[in-house]
Structures are given as structure tokens and as C-alpha cells.
Amino acid sequence: MRKISVFGATGSIGQNTIDLIDRNPSAYDVVALTGGANIEQLARDAKRLNADIAITAHPDRLEDLRAALAGSDVEVAAGANALAEAAARPADWVMSAIVGAAGLQPGLTALEQGATLALANKETLVCAGTLVLDTARKHNARLLPVDSEHSAVFQALVGEDMASVERIIITASGGAFRDWPMSKLASATVEQASSHPNWNMGQRITIDSASMFNKALEVIETREFFGISPDMIEVIVHPESIVHAMVGFNDGAVMAHMGAPDMRHAIGYALNWPKRQTLPVERLNLAKLGQLRFQEPDENRYPALRLAREVMERGGLSGAVFNGAKECALDHFIAGRIGFLDMADIVAAVLDRFDAQDNHIDAPMTLDNVLQTDHLARIWVDNAVAQRAGK
Ligand code: NDP
Ligand code: MG
């Protein structure tokens, strides 16, 4: 039996992972399941899967979790330290599906144990790519991509030599506002931004898809994961979300990965790797689909894509600035304090401010420096939002 843990078990990726575990429970020995506010779901899954330990990120919900698991032999714990301790429990395979920079530390700890880390949490590589990759190398741990585009690239590269790769093209659906006129975007509401045309995901990544911040993070994630230079990475808008990514080779061939937009494919690929196993994913009927469309993304419409290029040029801790600022701007948008287009404006201003400050971005990439940078970026976003409100 493989020992496995799921970080962010109560979320969209976490629940899809558990759906796959549930289909073959005797193959897995579940070590740790973690969640946040959704105590009921966490307790239900921990009990059913007979997990060793269930952890909520919120210390004030510990007693609720204890009550929900009363009578079972699942251990309970709460808070960031408990998450880190749970991540240190030996496991063969760990799903990293906490949302945001909060997923970084548990993922790093799992790598330090030599676990295979299935990485849905793209923020991990955006904030701390070098640190994460060095940690994996040092502990002989493996990282497997779960983000659909990166899983697609990973699959297209099986048996290939990176030296013959000319470019990696990741697709973007265009999100909720693909067909909106630019003039309407400034007044887009949280509710409107929270519905995705093709994918069913957590609210934060869904809004990030509408603003293309999600794609911006993925471009940086591509650079880190596959170690290729930024000018070899392209983004193309593909409204149907059937082609997830393409790899272009030096002989002119382009390998495209296609599939229904269902995250259980990428999760299952990482779970069963290096083998493939039957997965409960809808099979494509291309004749029924009829056509697949592709369009150049407009960087005026999606300034996040331009910012991703700037972040890759600056390097160092600028990924942590970018992600922290983006997460905090998103919090303010969700809370109704700023408009949809303000998010990119504010993130751009915070990146410039960091750039102008001595050598902050060039400080060594330690976990402390990444977390401090993330924290400072959030404070600067808070200040920028307060200033706007005061105007
Ligand atoms: P969800 O919001 O659906 O789930 C997030 C999970 O993290 C939940 O278990 C949540 O707990 C938990 N959580 C929230 N805040 C914290 C915190 N501060 N500390 C610890 N745990 C926390 O997100 P998704 O499943 O959509 O996304 C998860 C990650 O995967 C993200 O990084 C996202 O970018 C990435 N991803 C997601 C895809 C998707 O299809 N959804 C596709 C590709 C990548 P609770 O809900 O109980 O509060
Ligand atoms: Mg993706």
C-alpha cells in the first residue's frame, strides 16, 4: 500500500484527488488530510479513508474538528505548525493542493522527507522555484506537475531530449470575460468573475483565470518546472480548453496534449505515474466538437501576462512579490474594496516599488526571505488600497 497525504483535501483539487482514492481505496494508506474551514468535509473524508491525522489550518476550529471525529481513531491537530508537522510524516506521495503561498512550507517539508510531491499549488514554484527545486534534488524527491498545462507538457516530453525543445505553448481559455468589451471590465463584479466557462475550480483560481493572473503564474511555473528560458514560452487563447499545452521541437513538430477539461486526468496521471491507468474522464469526441479555435492574447486586455515577463526578467524574489501582491489584491477585490482592473495596477506598482528598493529582490532565496517578501508585498498592497480609498 502506498502511503499518501492530501494537503488541501477539502478544496476542488483535493476533492478530485479523494474521488480517485475512493475508487481504489485498498491501494492507499492515507497518512494526513488537511483542510481549512470546511471541518465537516475534512472529518467525513478522514473517517472514511481512515487517515492517521486530520489537520485544519485554523487553530480556532480544532475543537470542532475534534468533535466531528469523536469516536474515531483519527488524530486531530490545527494551525500552520501542525500542518508542517503533518507534512513531515513519511509518505510516498503527497498532493500539494492548498491554495496560495500557504502551500509552500508544507510542500517543502514533504520534499525534505523525500516524498513525491504532486504539485497543484503553482504558487510554490512561482514564489520559491530555485529553493523548491534545490530541496527536491538534495533529498532525492520528485516533483510531478498537476496543473493541467504542465502535466500536458510533462507528458509531451516523455522520451524527448530538452535540447530539441524550441518552445512550450500553454493554452488559456480566456476565463469569464473573454468576450467582454474592454470598457466593461472595470465594473466586473466578483460574482461575474467567479464563473469559468470550461473548468470547475476553486473561487480564487477562477477569478485569476478571468484576469489571466492564473496564466501569468503558469508561465512562471513553466519556466521553473521545465528550466527553459522565458522567450521560449508562449501563451495562446483557446476557448474550448481541449488542447492543454503544446511542445514545439527543432524539427518543426508540435506535440499537443488534448483531453476533456477534467482535473482528474492530471491528478490521476501524477498519482499513477510512471504508468497510465484507466481514469473516469470523459472521452473526447472531436467530430462532435467540430472546431478548436486559437487566438493571440492581447496584453492590453491582460496586463498580468506582461507582468509575468517582467518577473521572469527580474528573477530572484520577484516571484514572491508578484504572488503575494496578487493574492492580497485578490482578497481586496473579493471584499469589494477595489475593482477588477485595479488588481493588475496595484500589483504592477508594488513590483516597481520593490525594484526601486536597494537589492531586496536579489536577497538569497531562503524560506524566511520568501515568507518575509510575501508579507511585505501584502502590506504594500494594503497600503495602496487604503490610499486609493482615501482619495
Ligand atoms: P480551493 O479553494 O478549492 O481549495 C483550497 C484548499 O486549501 C482547501 O482545502 C482549503 O480549505 C485550504 N486552505 C485555504 N486556505 C488555507 C490556508 N491558509 N492554509 C492551509 N490550507 C488552506 O482551491 P483549488 O483546489 O481550486 O486550488 C488549490 C491549488 O491548486 C491552488 O494553488 C490552485 O492554483 C491550484 N490549481 C487548481 C486547479 C483547479 O482545477 N481547481 C487547477 C490547477 C491548479 P477549506 O476549503 O476547508 O477552507
Ligand atoms: Mg492550469
Side-chain angles (χ1 to χ4, degrees):
M1 283 217 291
R2 286 166 82 199
K3 282 181 172 295
I4 71 173
S5 290
V6 182
F7 303 160
T10 51
S12 166
I13 292 286
Q15 287 293 296
N16 276 312
T17 307
I18 286 177
D19 176 81
L20 295 181
I21 296 171
D22 270 333
R23 289 164 193 266
N24 194 8
S26 61
Y28 308 108
D29 174 7
V30 178
V31 180
L33 295 185
T34 89
N38 195 343
I39 300 293
E40 260 177 46
Q41 186 70 55
L42 179 61
R44 213 172 17 245
D45 289 337
K47 218 184 280 183
R48 191 181 68 259
L49 296 172
N50 197 22
D52 295 346
I53 184 166
I55 305 110
T56 163
H58 306 305
D60 58 336
R61 302 297 307 277
L62 177 62
E63 289 318 311
D64 295 338
L65 183 59
R66 199 188 302 285
L69 280 166
S72 76
D73 50 13
V74 180
E75 275 177 67
V76 293
N81 289 342
L83 272 179
E85 277 168 32
R89 294 194 178 201
D92 302 307
W93 188 92
V94 174
M95 167 53 76
S96 165
I98 289 172
V99 64
L104 171 61
Q105 192 163 8
L108 271 176
T109 307
L111 289 174
E112 283 164 1
Q113 314 310 312
T116 291
L117 191 67
L119 198 61
N121 178 282
K122 60 195 79 187
E123 297 87 344
T124 296
L125 283 179
V126 173
C127 295
T130 314
L131 173 66
V132 171
L133 296 173
D134 285 350
T135 305
R137 254 189 301 272
K138 189 166 157 205
H139 297 276
N140 213 4
R142 184 172 285 279
L143 272 174
L144 293 172
V146 173
D147 214 343
S148 57
E149 297 75 4
H150 306 74
S151 172
V153 172
F154 189 77
Q155 294 178 49
L157 284 172
V158 171
E160 302 289 353
D161 180 353
M162 277 309 284
S164 47
V165 172
E166 268 182 0
R167 55 189 180 140
I168 289 179
I169 307 162
I170 60 173
T171 60
S173 69
F177 304 143
R178 187 184 57 223
D179 302 321
W180 281 37
M182 284 279 280
S183 56
K184 255 182 85 185
L185 287 182
S187 59
T189 65
V190 173
E191 201 191 346
Q192 287 164 333
S194 301
S195 81
H196 197 283
N198 306 334
W199 294 92
N200 184 6
M201 313 184 281
Q203 186 193 31
R204 299 181 69 88
I205 182 175
T206 302
I207 300 176
D208 284 349
S209 296
S211 62
M212 284 271 194
F213 266 112
N214 179 50
K215 213 47 58 181
L217 297 176
E218 289 180 358
V219 167
I220 303 170
E221 187 188 9
T222 301
R223 161 159 176 68
E224 298 296 334
F225 201 102
F226 299 103
I228 67 166
S229 76
D231 59 358
M232 292 163 71
I233 307 169
E234 297 171 20
V235 173
I236 193 161
V237 174
H238 166 45
E240 290 83 12
S241 298
I242 296 296
V243 175
H244 303 309
M246 292 168 261
V247 179
F249 295 93
N250 56 3
D251 58 358
V254 175
M255 300 286 280
H257 179 286
M258 296 196 278
D262 182 334
M263 284 309 294
R264 290 177 303 179
H265 166 70
I267 297 167
Y269 186 81
L271 185 61
N272 300 319
W273 183 87
K275 292 193 180 138
R276 287 188 189 272
Q277 290 197 5
T278 306
L279 290 171
V281 172
E282 188 193 324
R283 299 326 193 225
L284 282 186
N285 181 337
L286 290 174
K288 197 167 153 207
L289 270 165
Q291 63 169 347
L292 299 176
R293 291 166 296 165
F294 300 93
Q295 299 151 14
E296 193 82 41
D298 171 358
E299 290 198 2
N300 290 322
R301 189 184 183 87
Y302 301 117
L305 293 179
R306 179 177 46 76
L307 295 177
R309 302 265 161 213
E310 287 177 20
V311 167
M312 291 188 292
E313 257 166 49
R314 290 174 205 200
L317 291 168
S318 61
V321 177
F322 181 60
N323 182 69
K326 188 282 294 176
E327 284 193 38
C328 189
L330 177 59
D331 290 338
H332 286 293
F333 173 65
I334 292 173
R337 285 188 285 268
I338 58 173
F340 183 72
L341 295 178
D342 295 332
M343 288 191 283
D345 280 358
I346 292 174
V347 173
V350 167
L351 271 171
D352 285 344
R353 191 170 162 195
F354 262 94
D355 217 20
Q357 284 236 322
D358 43 32
N359 304 321
H360 194 107
I361 280 174
D362 301 322
M365 192 181 276
T366 59
L367 181 60
D368 274 354
N369 281 345
V370 170
L371 296 179
Q372 273 176 29
T373 304
D374 171 87
H375 184 65
L376 192 55
R378 289 170 200 255
I379 291 175
W380 285 2
V381 170
D382 287 344
N383 292 345
V385 172
Q387 241 171 23
R388 280 173 183 237
K391 266 187 196 154

